[in-house]
Amino acid sequence: MTFSEVIGQKEVQERLKQMVKEGHLPHAIMLCGPTGSGKMALAVAFASYLLGEDNSMVKKLEHPDLHFTYPTIKLPSMSTDHKPVSDDFAREWHELIMEGPYFTLDQWLNAIGAENQQAIITAGESDELVRKLSLKSSQGGYKISIIWLPERMNIECANKLLKLIEEPPSQTVFLMVCEEPGNLLETIRSRVQRIDVKKLPADEIRQALIEHRGLGEDDAVRISRLANGSWLKAMEALQAGTENEQFLDLFIMLMRLAYQRKVRDLRKWSETMSNFGREKQKRFLQFFLHILRENFMYNFQQPDLVYMTREEEDFAKNFARFINEANILQLYDLTNRALRDIGQNANSKIVFFDFALQIIVLLIQK
C-alpha cells in the first residue's frame, strides 16, 4: 500500500516523509487516533515507503523485514503452556489486511473465531519480536515492526517491549497503531514519538466515496456526514444499507400503526420483531434512537445538524413534527429501557409489544 491509497491525512503523510528526508526518523513512532481515521493505513504505507514501494514483496505485505504484531487468543488446540503469538494467526491476518487496512477489532476477532475471548498481546510475542529483530535485515535496509493496538499488551509483554524500545536493534523502526494510549505504560509512551491522527474531514470522505466507490454527489455527501470522521463508518453505512432500509420500513410501520391505534396490528409487528435474533433487535433499537434524534433535529430547520439518508429525510418531511420537546426524552428513555431488557434476555415479544403500546401514548403528545 502506498500513501496515495490512504484516505486523506495528507498532513501526517508529509510529516512522516519529512522525518526521513531530514534524517530525523525516530526508532519508535506511535500513531494515535479514533477508529476509522486511517492509522493502520498510514503505518502500512509508511512501512512500504521505507522498504521500497516498488518491491513486489512489499506490495503483497510479505517482505521478510516487515513484521506485524496484533492481539491474539488461545485456541483449544494449543497446549496449556503455549503463549499465543501473531504467527499463530498469520494467515487470517494476511487475508484481512490484504482486503484493506481499514478494519475494526471486532472484524479481527471474527476472523480468528474469538467469540467471547479477550484478545491480548502476550509475553510470547515480545520474545518473538526480540528473536526476529535481532536478525540482520534481509535486504540491507530497515526492519519494520508494526504493532496494532499495543494497549492490549499484558504487563509482562509491555515490560519486555520497553527494554526492546530502549535498546533497539540496528535500523529497526517500531510503528505502533494505538487507540487508547492511556492504557499503555507511561514508560513506553515517553519513549515513542507520538503522532495524533485526527478524524477525517467530511469533504475528504465525500471525495473518496466518489473516486473509490463510484457514489453520486448527493449520496456521497450524506454518507460522509453520517461517517463522523471515520472511513470505517462510511463503509458500514454502505454495507448496512439493506438492513437499514428494512429498519426504516419497520419504523414507519410502527409509527403509522401507533398513530392509528391499531393494537392488533401492533401485536403482529411485535411478533415480527421477536423473530429477529437479539443482536439484530438491538441494532434496530439503536437505529430507532438515531431516527428519533434526526427527526427531532429536523424540526429546527438546520440542514447542517441533520444526518439522514434521502429515504429517511423523505419520511421526516411529514413525520418530524411528531417528535418534539413534549416527548423526545420519554421516547429516548423508552427505547433505552427496551435495549436494556433485550440485552438481559427478556421475552422479546413482550418487550416489543409493550414498546409499541407506549409509542401510542407518546406519539400524540404535542
Side-chain angles (χ1 to χ4, degrees), residues 72-76 89 91-92 105-119:
T72 58
I73 59 169
K74 187 149 190 171
L75 297 174
F89 301 91
R91 178 180 59 81
E92 292 87 349
L105 177 60
D106 283 343
Q107 286 175 287
W108 171 236
L109 295 179
N110 287 334
I112 60 177
E115 297 182 352
N116 295 323
Q117 289 192 62
Q118 289 293 318

Side-chain angles (χ1 to χ4, degrees), residues 85-362:
V85 294
S86 297
D87 283 353
D88 293 329
F89 301 91
R91 178 180 59 81
E92 292 87 349
W93 175 264
H94 190 258
E95 288 175 357
L96 182 65
I97 200 165
M98 285 302 290
E99 290 177 6
Y102 294 87
F103 51 84
T104 65
L105 177 60
D106 283 343
Q107 286 175 287
W108 171 236
L109 295 179
N110 287 334
I112 60 177
E115 297 182 352
N116 295 323
Q117 289 192 62
Q118 289 293 318
I120 64 170
I121 301 175
T122 68
E125 185 66 39
S126 54
D127 293 337
E128 277 292 289
L129 272 179
V130 170
R131 182 186 63 80
K132 291 175 180 178
L133 298 177
S134 64
L135 301 173
K136 287 186 177 181
S137 166
S138 66
Q139 307 292 307
Y142 289 105
K143 292 175 289 184
I144 313 293
S145 171
I146 296 180
I147 304 176
W148 183 53
L149 304 183
E151 60 267 38
R152 286 188 166 260
M153 292 185 291
N154 64 20
I155 191 65
E156 188 180 356
C157 177
N159 283 324
K160 288 184 177 181
L161 181 65
L162 174 61
K163 292 180 180 178
L164 193 58
I165 293 174
E166 287 176 333
E167 300 177 9
S170 175
Q171 286 192 290
T172 296
V173 178
F174 293 94
L175 300 176
M176 299 185 186
V177 178
C178 185
E179 291 181 3
E180 297 176 298
N183 292 338
L184 267 175
L185 289 179
E186 169 59 30
T187 44
I188 290 181
R189 296 202 307 268
S190 66
R191 285 164 174 76
V192 301
Q193 174 74 57
R194 174 170 171 167
I195 298 178
D196 289 315
V197 182
K198 299 176 183 177
K199 286 183 176 182
L200 288 164
D203 193 57
E204 290 184 358
I205 295 178
R206 177 197 63 80
Q207 186 176 345
L209 287 169
I210 294 172
E211 294 178 359
H212 301 308
R213 300 291 169 168
L215 267 64
E217 179 71 23
D218 185 58
D219 287 338
V221 168
R222 289 177 183 273
I223 289 179
S224 67
R225 297 181 70 244
L226 286 168
N228 191 27
S230 169
W231 181 249
L232 278 171
K233 286 185 178 179
M235 293 301 95
E236 287 172 5
L238 286 178
Q239 295 165 4
T242 302
E243 183 176 77
N244 282 354
E245 286 170 9
Q246 180 188 24
F247 287 167
L248 179 61
D249 289 341
L250 287 165
F251 177 88
I252 293 172
M253 183 187 301
L254 171 61
M255 291 304 167
R256 286 175 175 166
L257 293 176
Y259 182 76
Q260 296 167 9
R261 303 186 184 187
K262 293 187 175 181
V263 175
R264 182 175 297 176
D265 289 333
L266 285 172
R267 180 181 291 278
K268 292 180 181 178
W269 180 90
S270 66
E271 290 172 353
T272 298
M273 291 300 307
S274 69
N275 289 328
F276 294 155
R278 289 197 179 268
E279 290 305 314
K280 187 170 183 177
Q281 290 170 354
K282 288 191 285 186
R283 289 198 300 274
F284 169 77
L285 291 169
Q286 292 288 357
F287 176 84
F288 194 95
L289 288 170
H290 156 71
I291 292 297
L292 287 179
R293 184 264 180 199
E294 299 311 323
N295 277 270
F296 182 65
M297 298 306 296
Y298 189 89
N299 289 323
F300 290 97
Q301 298 182 356
Q302 296 289 331
D304 290 344
L305 299 177
V306 179
Y307 299 84
M308 287 191 279
T309 65
R310 186 186 296 108
E311 292 75 17
E312 291 165 2
E313 189 171 343
D314 286 343
F315 179 66
K317 289 174 183 176
N318 295 318
F319 173 74
R321 61 192 173 92
F322 292 98
I323 308 299
N324 48 61
E325 293 90 341
N327 61 17
I328 183 64
L329 294 178
Q330 292 166 291
L331 284 165
Y332 255 75
D333 288 343
L334 175 67
T335 310
N336 281 315
R337 282 200 304 273
L339 260 171
R340 179 201 63 198
D341 292 342
I342 292 298
Q344 295 177 349
N345 293 322
N347 185 306
S348 60
K349 189 180 296 186
I350 294 174
V351 171
F352 280 106
F353 187 46
D354 179 69
F355 180 76
L357 294 178
Q358 295 294 328
I359 293 290
I360 293 177
V361 177
L362 296 175

